[in-house]
Structures are given as C-alpha cells and as structure tokens.
C-alpha cells in the first residue's frame, strides 16, 4: 500500500515539474480509457471469484441498510442546517 501511495505522490510531483509539456495534455484521454479497462478487469476478477460472491450475498442487506440510513442522515442534516442555521430570519 505504501508503494502505491509513494508512486501516486511521485506522479503528482513529476506532473507538476513537467506540466508545460504539450504531450502530457494529450494523455488524459488515454488515462480515462486505461482506468475504464482496469475497472472492467477488476469487475471480471471479482465476478469470477466464488468466495467474493458468497460474501457479497452475505453482507448485501447490511450494505443496503447502511447506505439508505446514510442518505437519510445526510438529507436530515442538510434540512436542519438549511432551516435553522442558514435561513434565520
């Protein structure tokens, strides 16, 4: 994990140093395609692994409940802030 973070930071620093090179501006399209391909391969890998699919079925209900509760909490928090903190008259 530290290697990945180190490579990311090195890439950011290298990008800052080489930001004026026109070739790097053309890389964004290739980066998008590469990320899409990596996501596709990751999905194939997860879908073909029986252990992951078995665990997914086991935790699916809990994941959905936590997601819905998180959304409800965010909406209630935004409503509270809008009604009592921002729109004070």
């Amino acid at each position: 994990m530290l290697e990945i973070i180190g490579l990311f930071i090195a890439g950011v620093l290298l990008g800052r140093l080489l930001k004026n090179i026109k070739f790097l501006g053309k890389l964004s399209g290739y980066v998008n395609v590469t990320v899409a391909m990596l996501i596709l391969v990751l999905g194939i890998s997860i879908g073909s692994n029986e252990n992951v699919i078995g665990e997914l079925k086991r935790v699916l209900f809990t994941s959905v409940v936590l997601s819905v509760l998180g959304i409800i909490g965010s909406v209630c928090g935004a409503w509270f802030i809008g009604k009592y903190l921002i729109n004070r008259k």
Side-chain angles (χ1 to χ4, degrees), residues 29-40:
Y30 295 114
V31 170
N32 291 338
V33 171
T34 303
V35 169
M37 293 301 293
L38 286 171
I39 291 172
L40 175 68

Side-chain angles (χ1 to χ4, degrees), residues 46-84:
I46 290 172
S48 65
N49 189 335
E50 291 296 326
N51 293 332
V52 173
I53 298 300
E55 289 297 312
L56 182 65
K57 291 176 184 174
R58 188 178 68 79
V59 298
L60 183 62
F61 178 74
T62 305
S63 300
V64 170
V65 169
L66 288 175
S67 298
V68 169
L69 290 176
I71 292 169
I72 291 171
S74 296
V75 169
C76 290
W79 173 81
F80 178 81
I81 289 172
K83 182 165 176 91
Y84 293 108

